[in-house]
Amino acid sequence: YLGRPETDRPRQLAMNVLGMGLHEVEHYEDALSVQEAELAMKRRIGASEHELLAVQNNLARTYAKTGRFEDAVRTSRDVYSGRLRVNGEEHESTLRAANNHASFLIDLRRYKETKPVLRKIIPAARRVLGESHHLTILMKMNYAAALYQDRGATLDDLREAVTTLEELEPIARRVLGGAH
């Protein structure tokens, strides 16, 4: 594929599959190199914003796996902003991007930034996906974690976390089964 032009679709797909495959087998540094090259190539050839956001999303995941959490947060914020611009707030891709961004913020213990993101998107997830959707459940779990893991949590924060988890438990049990 290297001899083919960058605009050649099979070359682009091969690069994407290589980066994702390296990530899946935990060769994160190699995946990072491929994904960064893929993003640069997509920018050079004028790929659609949708394609750029998909590559950036993969890149954010790989940044996190290599311990580059600040890069993961920056990139995931860009993906979330891009998804908002391209798809609007009430689109599953936007909701997923927002939750990914919140997850990276939680990894960095940046709870004060996490909570407003989740407070904004959870109502949209309920409307668009429903209470029983896996992503809505995950968002609520992340929100509760952002509340109770914060060292500066107030008693009201802790109560809200407990209430959120108590409300979530029967839904999660019904959707995911008792083993979860």
Side-chain angles (χ1 to χ4, degrees):
Y1 294 101
L2 289 177
R4 293 178 181 224
E6 288 184 333
T7 55
D8 185 63
R9 194 73 179 141
R11 177 182 174 165
Q12 293 173 25
L13 292 172
M15 192 173 226
N16 181 264
V17 169
L18 176 60
M20 291 176 62
L22 289 166
H23 185 276
E24 287 304 311
V25 296
E26 300 178 4
H27 292 265
Y28 301 122
E29 291 295 336
D30 294 329
L32 191 60
S33 176
V34 171
Q35 290 169 343
E36 287 175 335
E38 180 185 13
L39 182 59
M41 177 190 67
K42 294 277 188 182
R43 285 181 172 149
R44 275 193 306 275
I45 65 171
S48 70
E49 188 157 11
H50 173 76
E51 289 179 89
L52 293 172
L53 292 171
V55 175
Q56 286 176 292
N57 184 66
N58 294 338
L59 193 54
R61 290 177 50 234
T62 306
Y63 280 144
K65 290 294 188 177
T66 57
R68 293 173 57 181
F69 290 107
E70 289 296 337
D71 289 328
V73 166
R74 179 184 42 76
T75 304
S76 69
R77 182 181 51 242
D78 292 347
V79 171
Y80 175 39
S81 296
R83 291 288 179 201
L84 274 170
R85 192 173 48 259
V86 172
N87 301 325
E89 185 179 277
E90 295 196 351
H91 190 279
E92 186 171 351
S93 294
T94 304
L95 297 171
R96 193 169 304 284
N99 190 63
N100 290 345
H101 180 55
S103 294
F104 292 134
L105 288 169
I106 289 170
D107 289 343
L108 286 174
R109 296 183 174 104
R110 289 166 51 178
Y111 306 115
K112 286 183 183 11
E113 294 173 63
T114 307
K115 290 181 268 191
V117 171
L118 291 170
R119 280 187 191 120
K120 179 180 178 181
I121 64 167
I122 289 172
R126 285 182 181 140
R127 283 190 305 276
V128 174
L129 306 173
E131 289 285 341
S132 299
H133 193 279
H134 178 264
L135 185 56
T136 307
I137 293 169
L138 190 57
M139 286 177 183
K140 288 180 174 183
M141 289 172 53
N142 281 339
Y143 181 64
L147 288 168
Y148 74 75
Q149 289 178 8
D150 188 348
R151 290 181 182 254
T154 65
L155 188 54
D156 285 341
D157 291 335
L158 297 175
R159 284 186 183 120
E160 185 177 1
V162 168
T163 300
T164 299
L165 293 172
E166 285 176 344
E167 291 170 355
L168 188 56
E169 190 267 336
I171 298 167
R173 186 174 300 280
R174 186 181 76 250
V175 173
L176 303 174
H180 290 81

